Amino acid sequence: MIAGALTASCLALVPSVAVAAPPPHAHASHHHSHPAKHDTLGDLAKRAGIKFGAAVNTDVLATDAKYRHLVGTQFTSVTPENVMKWEVVEPEQGVYDYTAADQLVAFAKQHHQVVRGHNLVWHNQLPAWLTSGTFTAAQLRDILHQHITAEASHFRGKIQQWDVVNEALNDDGTFRQDIWYNAYQELTGDGTGYIADAFRWAHQADPHAKLFYNDYNLEFTGVKSDAAYALVKQLKSEGVPIDGVGFQGHLDTQYGYPDLQNNLQRFADLHLQVAMTEVDVRTFVKQNADGTYSDTPATPADAQKQIDYWTNTVKACLAVKACKSFTTWGVSDNYSWIPGVFTGEGAGLLYDQNENPKPQYFAVADVLRHAHGHHRH
Ligand code: G3I
């Protein structure tokens, strides 16, 4: 029964006609200056000149029809939340499994969406054969080369933006001394050398994909953002094929709102694209009577802050010409990574635990609707 309903609803989604809302074209075609209330985030973002994306959990996409409907209609870009990561794609050395990622790429094509590839090099979610194997530094460099070449070649022509290197920096602005850094340190005396190699190898494998450095906390002015700035400036000056910087945007109402627009702009001034790649705005939430998480912010002030952080983040991207992609890290709070990692916090996304739009959804939609007519192209 569920499979049947899912198939029916999928077919109904092509081409981009909302089921839960009146068909957008019926309104939009009559009132160009007053876009219909039920336009999707993707529709509104398109008029504002940017892609609006979501990170997608492919297990949920296959089993939850409401989620699948939202992913297929609301967004113009998708990022695999996990299934392009090393542990999934190369579970045994030299044995590649692109099944889940290929399914998402096919879904994206069917729904006229672009794909952000995430990611080629990271310290996390590496397969056990790699982390518990005994390899020389030279072997590790070859393993990295082979992995990047295989994966970027497999998806050649299908990825708009690749997060080539993810989270290479610590919060204090030093380089993370992970498996790649340590191997290159031993081989060449420069632990950071894997970064330039990764971009060069990715470019060889997929010359048309835009290649990004992606990290968190770059939104805030400070040592980490400065270190990322110095890194990408250096890469550019060496002719390394880097096209952009991804600002993850994992925000939290317990901290002040970051100096985001200025930080986006200074990276853009290096002639790089910028993108908001993993946005969510978490806050402390009330507990349900049975001790489980509710989706209700602890105070009304927190709830308002979440809305403000969301709208300010979208406005910052719209204000910077080089920012043409805005992605939320998930769709709805019921599947978000946040409660599993930050005790007592949650409610980070635009849709609630029942996959219904929250006030921040409507606030973001209003910001995008307002941007209509601004000359961004
Ligand atoms: O696949 C296994 C499954 O086989 C096993 O039964 C289950 C039991 O825990 O775990 C599953 O793996 C989980 C995986 O997500 C896939 O669901 C891992 O435990 C879990 O740790 C992993 O979390 C992901 C996290 O990255 C890992 O660091 C989150 O879903 C994902 O949202 C998160 O995404 C990162 C970005 O890639 C980079 N920036 C930060 C962002 C949030 O942490």
Side-chain angles (χ1 to χ4, degrees):
M1 275 322 285
I2 289 182
L6 197 143
T7 309
S9 101
C10 292
L11 292 173
L13 300 184
V14 187
S16 85
V17 175
V19 169
H25 300 305
H27 294 261
S29 56
H30 294 298
H31 304 287
H32 269 303
S33 54
H34 300 287
K37 225 179 174 164
H38 297 290
D39 283 337
T40 68
L41 295 173
D43 294 336
L44 296 167
K46 186 175 183 183
R47 291 188 205 116
I50 69 172
K51 300 289 183 193
F52 202 96
V56 176
N57 178 324
T58 53
D59 291 337
V60 176
L61 193 72
T63 54
D64 181 334
K66 189 170 179 179
Y67 178 96
R68 189 174 171 96
H69 170 66
L70 292 176
V71 174
T73 55
Q74 288 288 331
F75 302 97
T76 47
S77 172
V78 290
T79 306
E81 185 174 357
N82 285 298
V83 297
M84 284 187 190
K85 292 173 181 174
W86 199 317
E87 68 177 5
V88 177
V89 159
E90 194 183 356
E92 304 295 335
Q93 186 171 7
V95 179
Y96 291 88
D97 181 357
Y98 299 110
T99 315
D102 283 346
Q103 284 169 2
L104 182 62
V105 171
F107 180 95
K109 190 175 180 197
Q110 193 186 4
H111 295 86
H112 312 293
Q113 296 162 324
V114 297
V115 180
R116 293 199 81 261
H118 178 82
N119 53 58
L120 293 173
V121 189
W122 195 21
H123 68 279
N124 204 354
Q125 286 179 283
L126 295 171
W129 65 262
L130 178 55
T131 53
S132 19
T134 43
F135 299 104
T136 66
Q139 284 172 329
L140 284 171
R141 182 173 58 185
D142 286 346
I143 286 169
L144 185 66
H145 189 177
Q146 281 170 28
H147 177 80
I148 291 173
T149 301
E151 182 162 6
S153 300
H154 178 83
F155 294 110
R156 177 166 44 230
K158 296 174 177 168
I159 302 292
Q160 183 207 28
Q161 302 179 345
W162 256 120
D163 291 332
V164 175
V165 177
N166 195 42
E167 302 174 3
L169 291 162
N170 294 310
D171 276 340
D172 67 4
T174 59
F175 283 93
R176 198 186 287 276
Q177 298 194 10
D178 63 8
I179 185 171
W180 312 118
Y181 184 99
N182 292 335
Y184 272 72
Q185 182 66 41
E186 190 186 323
L187 264 180
T188 68
D190 174 13
T192 69
Y194 77 91
I195 299 173
D197 273 355
F199 279 95
R200 292 193 179 104
W201 294 331
H203 183 66
Q204 278 164 14
D206 187 354
H208 296 300
K210 298 297 179 196
L211 305 184
F212 276 63
Y213 175 73
N214 189 53
D215 214 329
Y216 56 87
N217 284 344
L218 305 185
E219 301 83 23
F220 295 85
T221 301
V223 285
K224 183 169 190 180
S225 184
D226 287 351
Y229 182 87
L231 168 65
V232 298
K233 192 175 176 188
Q234 177 71 21
L235 292 171
K236 281 220 75 158
S237 77
E238 291 170 1
V240 174
I242 178 172
D243 300 296
V245 176
F247 288 60
Q248 293 186 2
H250 294 292
L251 302 181
D252 185 330
T253 63
Q254 72 176 303
Y255 308 117
Y257 182 75
D259 198 13
L260 177 57
Q261 189 182 320
N262 287 330
N263 275 295
L264 289 171
Q265 188 63 57
R266 69 174 176 146
F267 283 81
D269 289 344
L270 295 173
H271 304 291
L272 287 164
Q273 299 182 16
V274 290
M276 299 307 303
T277 55
E278 306 187 10
V279 181
D280 45 30
V281 182
R282 64 186 182 269
T283 195
F284 285 97
V285 292
K286 291 180 176 163
Q287 284 206 343
N288 293 319
D290 63 1
T292 58
Y293 284 96
S294 81
D295 208 25
T296 308
T299 70
D302 289 336
Q304 184 57 48
K305 253 192 179 182
Q306 286 187 296
I307 296 170
D308 294 342
Y309 281 29
W310 271 107
T311 55
N312 287 336
T313 303
V314 176
K315 284 177 187 168
C317 179
L318 291 172
V320 175
K321 214 177 164 201
C323 186
K324 293 188 178 296
S325 173
F326 188 103
T327 292
T328 69
W329 201 247
V331 176
S332 47
D333 291 334
N334 49 338
Y335 303 119
S336 169
W337 68 289
I338 294 168
V341 173
F342 295 99
T343 306
E345 294 187 80
L349 290 165
L350 298 176
Y351 287 86
D352 68 17
Q353 288 184 358
N354 298 310
E355 302 170 1
N356 294 319
K358 303 198 298 191
Q360 38 274 66
Y361 170 94
F362 296 104
V364 163
D366 274 348
V367 169
L368 293 170
R369 192 177 284 122
H370 231 89
H372 178 43
H374 289 201
H375 36 76
R376 288 182 38 82
H377 300 288

